[in-house]
């Protein structure tokens, strides 16, 4: 009789292990929606990196667009350029919202310019940044992008 009790106990333990393993495997299967979200975030990150690259490529005068506006502290010019040439076309053509923020790192991370649309409260926002040294000051340029 005691042998049968041990077999039943062993069967119960094995059944518990099988059920727990099945639950663990079922919970670890990736959700298709999470894969789409990850793809969208990677796509946004690529857009953000590409936009910053466009803004930091040197032109014929050996100066990038960002460097030019920062050197002359022409914040209104930067806002107008960003809105007219990048922010508005991206919103109209690809439904992508953008926000470009420039911080003067040398001056305790003081925000000196913000261009584009306000950041959304909800949703996936991806950022990219670059660091520029202009007029012996360090600036961090941060670009936020999101799907509208």
């Amino acid at each position: 009789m005691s042998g049968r009790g041990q077999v039943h106990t062993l069967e119960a333990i094995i059944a518990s292990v099988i059920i727990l393993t099945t639950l663990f495997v079922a919970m670890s299967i990736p959700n298709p929606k999470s894969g789409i979200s990850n793809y969208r975030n990677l796509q946004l990150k690529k857009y953000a990196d590409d936009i910053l690259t466009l803004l930091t490529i040197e032109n014929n005068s050996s100066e990038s667009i960002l460097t030019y506006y920062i050197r002359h502290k022409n914040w209104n010019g930067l806002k107008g350029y960003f809105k007219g040439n990048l922010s508005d076309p991206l919103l109209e053509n690809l439904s992508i919202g953008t926000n470009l923020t420039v911080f003067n790192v040398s001056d305790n991370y003081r925000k000196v310019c913000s261009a584009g649309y306000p950041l959304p409260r909800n949703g996936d926002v991806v950022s990219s940044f670059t660091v520029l040294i202009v007029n012996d000051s360090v600036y961090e340029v941060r670009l936020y992008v999101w799907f509208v």
Side-chain angles (χ1 to χ4, degrees), residues 66-135:
L66 277 175
T67 303
Y68 172 81
Y69 285 112
I70 292 171
R71 181 179 312 285
H72 298 293
K73 297 187 189 303
N74 185 355
W75 308 123
N76 288 329
L78 178 57
K79 288 178 187 179
Y81 179 87
F82 184 75
K83 183 169 174 34
N85 293 310
L86 294 169
S87 192
D88 286 347
L90 284 171
L91 185 64
E92 292 169 11
N93 297 321
L94 297 174
S95 297
I96 294 176
T98 55
N99 178 285
L100 180 79
T101 305
V102 181
F103 299 95
N104 186 339
V105 177
S106 300
D107 191 12
N108 294 323
Y109 259 91
R110 183 175 57 92
K111 185 187 334 181
V112 294
C113 181
S114 184
Y117 296 98
L119 293 172
R121 293 178 185 235
N122 297 331
D124 293 332
V125 177
V126 176
S127 70
S128 185
F129 75 96
T130 189
V131 176
L132 298 172
I133 299 174
V134 181
N135 294 339

Side-chain angles (χ1 to χ4, degrees), residues 8-95:
H8 289 302
T9 303
L10 187 59
E11 286 176 347
I13 291 171
I14 291 172
S16 298
V17 168
I18 291 172
I19 290 171
L20 289 175
T21 304
T22 304
L23 285 173
F24 177 74
V25 169
M27 298 295 281
S28 66
I29 293 175
N31 183 351
K33 288 185 179 179
S34 69
I36 291 171
S37 178
N38 289 340
Y39 173 75
R40 288 172 56 100
N41 287 343
L42 288 173
Q43 188 177 20
L44 283 172
K45 177 69 172 151
K46 180 69 174 142
Y47 282 133
D49 292 343
D50 288 348
I51 293 166
L52 278 180
T53 299
L54 286 172
L55 291 171
T56 55
I57 290 176
E58 294 181 356
N59 57 21
N60 293 341
S61 63
S62 298
E63 187 172 51
S64 72
I65 293 166
L66 277 175
T67 303
Y68 172 81
Y69 285 112
I70 292 171
R71 181 179 312 285
H72 298 293
K73 297 187 189 303
N74 185 355
W75 308 123
N76 288 329
L78 178 57
K79 288 178 187 179
Y81 179 87
F82 184 75
K83 183 169 174 34
N85 293 310
L86 294 169
S87 192
D88 286 347
L90 284 171
L91 185 64
E92 292 169 11
N93 297 321
L94 297 174
S95 297

